[in-house]
Amino acid sequence: MPTDFAPCAAGSYKPAVALVAPSILAADLGRLADEVKAVERAGADWIHIDVMDGHFVPNLTMGPDIVRAVRKVTSLPIDVHLMITNPLEFVVPFAAEGTTHISFHCEVIDDVETACARIEEAGCRAGIVLNPPTPVEAVLPHVSRVSYVLVMSVHPGFAGQAFIPSALPKLRRLREARREAGATTLLQIDGGIKAGNAGEARDAGADVIVAGSGIFGQSDYAAAVASIRGA
């Protein structure tokens, strides 16, 4: 089952720690099984998989077969981020291989209710994503509907990019909207997060922090996970 937690009661939200989701896009893919096992031992909460189609973003990455390989070596929740133009066509294939969380971009989906229903019917939790140029208002109406909102803090497509600070006000506004709605939606951030700036993300409201090179680029995975979590 997915490992999630609910935010504090309305009016008292102040994250002390965050869930940490290492992004295998930054892992040594030649040693994928070992890398996944290593971050699980290091204290990772989720495994994050970035799926790119060469259309919505200028890169090609992973498909359902990668999820199958990851699922063989871990029982952690697998969070699939669909950076593709037709995400609903791939919900069932990814879910069938053991995915637990699937997120889609608000920039390519108009009918959020249908998208969420399709993901939930496949047995997964649904998340909505917004890119750096997209105003937070695009996802505010859906805060109570989705299981999580992912705020991109880099332009999606490639690992190792620099953090975009304008993601932080979006997180704060989403935290406010969640509080107003009395929702338990998780807030996730992805892009350029490392030990040095993870505290800013947590303070802005991030419940789940995706990190690629901030973990896989470090010599001590456990120390990196602990620093990003805020433990």
Side-chain angles (χ1 to χ4, degrees):
M1 292 296 293
T3 301
D4 291 345
F5 61 88
C8 298
S12 63
Y13 183 82
K14 179 65 170 71
V17 298
L19 299 177
V20 178
S23 171
I24 65 170
L25 184 63
D28 179 350
L29 296 180
R31 302 175 50 253
L32 179 59
D34 291 338
E35 291 276 67
V36 171
K37 291 176 184 177
V39 292
E40 182 171 9
R41 288 194 302 270
D45 300 289
W46 298 2
I47 300 296
H48 186 84
I49 297 180
D50 290 305
V51 178
M52 308 178 193
D53 63 0
H55 297 281
F56 182 63
V57 295
N59 197 3
L60 291 167
T61 56
M62 306 162 188
D65 288 348
I66 294 294
V67 174
R68 184 188 311 133
V70 171
R71 178 51 73 212
K72 287 179 179 178
V73 297
T74 185
S75 60
L76 290 178
I78 295 177
D79 177 31
V80 167
H81 174 193
L82 296 179
M83 288 176 268
I84 62 180
T85 56
N86 53 347
L88 298 190
E89 293 184 20
F90 289 91
V91 167
V92 171
F94 276 102
E97 300 301 344
T99 301
T100 56
H101 295 63
I102 295 177
S103 59
F104 58 88
H105 274 260
C106 67
E107 295 89 359
V108 298
I109 290 288
D110 293 323
D111 188 346
V112 171
E113 176 57 39
T114 295
C116 289
R118 187 82 57 86
I119 292 167
E120 291 161 357
E121 287 166 4
C124 300
R125 299 192 182 184
I128 192 168
V129 191
L130 69 160
N131 278 336
T134 304
V136 71
E137 287 76 16
V139 297
L140 289 179
H142 312 298
V143 166
S144 297
R145 178 61 185 90
V146 296
S147 292
Y148 59 112
V149 179
L150 168 53
V151 175
M152 292 301 298
S153 46
V154 296
H155 295 283
F158 298 92
Q161 299 183 63
F163 176 75
I164 298 174
S166 60
L168 299 177
K170 291 181 179 180
L171 278 176
R172 288 191 284 267
R173 180 65 186 94
L174 285 162
R175 179 175 60 185
E176 178 185 352
R178 178 180 62 189
R179 181 183 295 128
E180 291 169 351
T184 58
T185 309
L186 297 180
L187 304 181
Q188 185 181 66
I189 190 168
D190 179 6
I193 302 290
K194 303 182 186 302
N197 59 10
E200 295 179 79
R202 295 193 306 270
D203 288 344
D207 304 297
V208 185
I209 295 177
V210 178
S213 58
I215 295 174
F216 289 110
Q218 309 306 308
S219 59
D220 187 335
Y221 290 178
V225 168
S227 295
I228 290 167
R229 174 179 287 117

